[in-house]
Amino acid sequence: MNRSLYLFLILEEASFSWHTIQHNRIQFQEESVAVPKAKDNPCTYADYAAWPEGERWELIEGVPYDMSPAPKRRHQDVLLNLARVVSNITDKEPCETYIAPFDVRLSEKADASDEEVITVVQPDLSVFCKPDRLDDRGAHAAPDLAVEVLSESTGYKDQTAKLSLYEKYGVREYWLVNGEVPWIMVYRLGPEGKYGKPDYYQPGEKIRSEVLESAIETDRVFT
């Protein structure tokens, strides 16, 4: 093949992938933000723990995000497929896999009290390779790997606020999964503690995971 034509086709494919990502990001620009009661101060984990059972919330820097309604069937199918694959890997390693609902409490203070914690998230799937980050209530520090399967009500937040949050608290790998299109983006924490440009995976490809020390076929996620 002519070298100029070859380079042109590579650039066209890269451009298509980037615009596909951007197009799907626009589709998720809906956020559900609700505060259960008026407060002058940020909400805390102590407040969160006192809210009615059966309701699903996340706290990001003291702001409550309503996690209802329940995800669609396709979301759950993709999540369960991924959970099976990942848990089969972590069962053979010192890591542990959890799926939502599972509280992950994040704070810059190592021994923060419930009244001091203002960020509590529920990743769709999380992997912890350090047992001392876990307790009976969930986790009190960041996972090594976090996965969010995008949905209409939470997709924009997952790609913006949570991206910044997971970077801030040192989540080594952050996967964004779109079960409808489908595609998977993987952010990896660099040596300076920042996420670089994400890797983009489509059906028929393999995801390289440093946390899992394995390669996962995307077709096993999207079947």
Side-chain angles (χ1 to χ4, degrees):
M1 181 184 292
N2 179 276
R3 180 176 174 81
S4 297
L5 177 59
Y6 178 72
L7 290 173
F8 172 77
L9 291 174
I10 290 177
L11 290 171
E12 281 292 292
E13 181 177 358
S15 175
F16 171 77
S17 297
W18 174 249
H19 287 296
T20 299
I21 293 171
Q22 292 298 94
H23 170 72
N24 285 285
R25 172 172 287 190
I26 291 171
Q27 285 185 323
F28 290 112
Q29 288 189 349
E30 283 186 38
E31 254 185 311
S32 178
V33 182
V35 181
K37 56 183 178 180
K39 289 193 66 174
D40 294 331
N41 300 318
C43 292
T44 68
Y45 180 66
D47 297 320
Y48 171 97
W51 294 340
E53 293 185 11
E55 296 182 1
R56 286 191 60 200
W57 297 85
E58 288 186 317
L59 284 181
I60 297 181
E61 304 295 344
V63 178
Y65 289 80
D66 188 356
M67 298 293 287
S68 60
K72 292 183 179 179
R73 177 182 170 189
R74 178 58 178 167
H75 176 286
Q76 298 300 81
D77 286 342
V78 169
L79 176 57
L80 287 175
N81 287 343
L82 184 58
R84 290 189 191 100
V85 175
V86 172
S87 61
N88 283 339
I89 295 171
T90 57
D91 283 347
K92 303 172 185 176
E93 298 180 359
C95 302
E96 297 185 46
T97 301
Y98 296 92
I99 59 173
F102 183 81
D103 286 346
V104 177
R105 310 183 310 276
L106 300 174
S107 175
E108 296 181 41
K109 185 178 178 181
D111 57 348
S113 67
D114 291 354
E115 289 75 19
E116 294 174 311
V117 174
I118 59 173
T119 296
V120 187
V121 292
Q122 293 191 13
D124 284 321
L125 183 146
S126 52
V127 173
F128 292 83
C129 298
K130 297 178 181 178
D132 60 355
R133 296 189 173 193
L134 302 168
D135 59 24
D136 289 341
R137 296 187 293 178
H140 55 81
D144 293 272
L145 185 154
V147 178
E148 300 291 358
V149 180
L150 303 180
S151 62
E152 292 179 1
S153 60
T154 63
Y156 182 68
K157 171 166 60 73
D158 292 340
Q159 296 176 88
T160 53
K162 276 195 170 180
L163 176 64
S164 298
L165 189 72
Y166 290 151
E167 180 184 69
K168 175 182 177 180
Y169 286 99
V171 176
R172 291 167 56 197
E173 290 184 12
Y174 179 33
W175 298 16
L176 286 163
V177 181
N178 187 327
E180 300 292 340
V181 175
W183 51 256
I184 298 175
M185 282 195 295
V186 177
Y187 288 89
R188 295 181 176 84
L189 207 64
E192 296 182 355
K194 300 292 183 181
Y195 287 138
K197 182 179 179 181
D199 290 326
Y200 176 62
Y201 300 91
Q202 296 176 300
E205 298 181 330
K206 290 184 178 181
I207 302 171
R208 174 184 57 83
S209 173
E210 296 175 1
V211 171
L212 301 175
E213 297 183 350
S214 299
I216 294 177
E217 297 177 357
T218 55
D219 287 345
R220 297 181 66 186
V221 178
F222 297 126
T223 54

